[in-house]
Amino acid sequence: MQEVTATSRHYVDRLFDPDPQKVLQGVIDMKNAVIGNNKQKANLIVLGAVPRLLYLLQQSSSSLELRTECAVVLGSLAMGTENNIKSLVDCHIIPALLQGLLCPDLIFIEACLRCLRTVFISPVTPVQLLYTDPTVIPHLMSLLSRSQRTQEYITQIFSHCCKTPEHQTVLFNHGAIQNIAPLLISPSYKVRMQALKCFSVLAYENTQVSMTLVNVLVDGELLSQVFVRMMQRDQPIEMQLTAAKCLTYMCRAGAIRTDDICGPGWALFIILQR
């Protein structure tokens, strides 16, 4: 333990070197050291690495490469234990990363989003932190078009942080349906799946959302028919079940009728109706 702690101390000390190039190399070495090593992650957090990494990430004087590497290391620390996540949240990692999303550089944005996704999907993170600043949701919506990674991470954040009718309303009012619907035909399975999960949490016991979904077209096809296709047996089970949930919630809200659903996914849909 003493040896690991001494090594960890060395990594943290390097973050304070006056030479920016040595700081960058120190962060890169730290990144390599924490991969798959929960003990090292815990040591670095205890020794105060997180506030320094966040400081470097937020400094306009830091190079873009350094800021990106800091976001990657923070994301790796977040993949440790729930205590790690609590420590990161207590250090105000969420507002720092959300601020980072204002940077125009896509690679840095993706690194910040990847870390935010890891933090927000943890059960110990208060999802309300996504809604504290009213400018955050519309900015996340605007980033959806940047890349498949931004689409995957943002939709996953939305689906995990949509827990109440108020959350549904906020996302709905900021154009979640129109912005996320095209992602259902993305070439990326991960993007399609996360978009589908978004619709399942948005439509859950929500008449307004369900009634709106009825009239949505995706590449000329009604959204309900897209869900029906996603229930077919040649699709992964996770996709079949989530699509069936979306249709079930729409049906319970009176937006569609049971006899509107036909095809191979029909039996699955009927089972969920019971």
Side-chain angles (χ1 to χ4, degrees):
M1 180 66 183
Q2 282 183 334
E3 185 183 339
V4 176
T5 305
T7 308
S8 304
R9 168 58 65 192
H10 175 63
Y11 285 123
V12 175
D13 287 345
R14 291 172 71 190
L15 300 180
F16 293 87
D17 195 289
D19 183 344
Q21 204 53 43
K22 288 182 179 177
V23 174
L24 173 61
Q25 191 56 52
V27 174
I28 292 170
D29 291 345
M30 183 182 286
K31 174 181 70 175
N32 295 330
V34 297
I35 294 172
N37 189 335
N38 278 350
K39 185 182 282 188
Q40 185 72 278
K41 290 176 186 180
N43 280 336
L44 288 169
I45 289 171
V46 168
L47 290 169
V50 175
R52 183 61 180 171
L53 288 167
L54 286 172
Y55 173 81
L56 294 169
L57 180 139
Q58 294 177 89
Q59 289 305 298
S60 55
S61 57
S62 295
S63 69
L64 206 47
E65 186 181 4
L66 174 58
R67 295 173 73 195
T68 303
E69 292 292 349
C70 285
V72 172
V73 173
L74 289 164
S76 187
L77 294 177
M79 288 180 184
T81 64
E82 289 188 352
N83 280 336
N84 289 11
I85 296 279
K86 285 178 183 173
S87 298
L88 292 169
V89 172
D90 289 344
C91 287
H92 307 293
I93 188 175
I94 291 173
L97 290 171
L98 290 173
Q99 186 69 24
L101 299 181
L102 298 174
C103 172
D105 185 77
L106 180 58
I107 295 173
F108 179 61
I109 287 172
E110 288 176 348
C112 289
L113 282 173
R114 191 183 307 116
C115 185
L116 281 166
R117 182 270 310 267
T118 305
V119 172
F120 271 120
I121 64 176
S122 168
V124 302
T125 303
V127 298
Q128 196 56 38
L129 291 174
L130 186 67
Y131 302 93
T132 308
D133 180 343
T135 66
V136 167
I137 301 297
H139 185 60
L140 288 171
M141 293 291 178
S142 74
L143 292 175
L144 277 170
S145 59
R146 293 293 301 274
S147 72
Q148 285 187 5
R149 285 192 177 127
T150 64
Q151 290 166 355
E152 178 193 342
Y153 302 149
I154 291 170
T155 48
Q156 194 168 5
I157 289 168
F158 285 162
S159 60
H160 274 275
C161 295
C162 187
K163 304 288 189 189
T164 68
E166 290 75 26
H167 296 160
Q168 291 173 320
T169 300
V170 170
L171 292 170
F172 177 83
N173 288 343
H174 284 103
I177 292 173
Q178 302 91 311
N179 284 295
I180 297 171
L183 307 186
L184 291 169
I185 54 171
S186 165
S188 162
Y189 172 76
K190 287 180 178 178
V191 172
R192 292 198 307 276
M193 195 62 235
Q194 294 303 334
L196 190 57
K197 286 180 178 177
C198 267
F199 280 115
S200 73
V201 295
L202 284 168
Y204 177 69
E205 294 184 352
N206 193 306
T207 303
Q208 183 187 29
V209 171
S210 295
M211 291 297 187
T212 304
L213 292 180
V214 174
N215 300 311
V216 174
L217 291 173
V218 180
D219 200 27
E221 187 178 22
L222 281 171
L223 193 59
S224 57
Q225 290 307 306
V226 176
F227 291 153
V228 169
R229 277 196 295 103
M230 287 177 148
M231 282 200 304
Q232 292 177 358
R233 289 177 189 168
D234 60 344
Q235 301 297 335
I237 291 294
E238 182 187 29
M239 180 170 279
Q240 292 180 46
L241 284 168
T242 311
K245 275 186 192 175
C246 293
L247 288 165
T248 298
Y249 300 151
M250 290 171 71
C251 198
R252 286 176 183 166
I256 55 174
R257 296 171 304 172
T258 308
D259 53 9
D260 290 333
I261 312 301
C262 56
W266 184 81
L268 182 64
F269 170 71
I270 294 301
I271 290 168
L272 282 178
Q273 279 288 302
R274 291 174 183 164

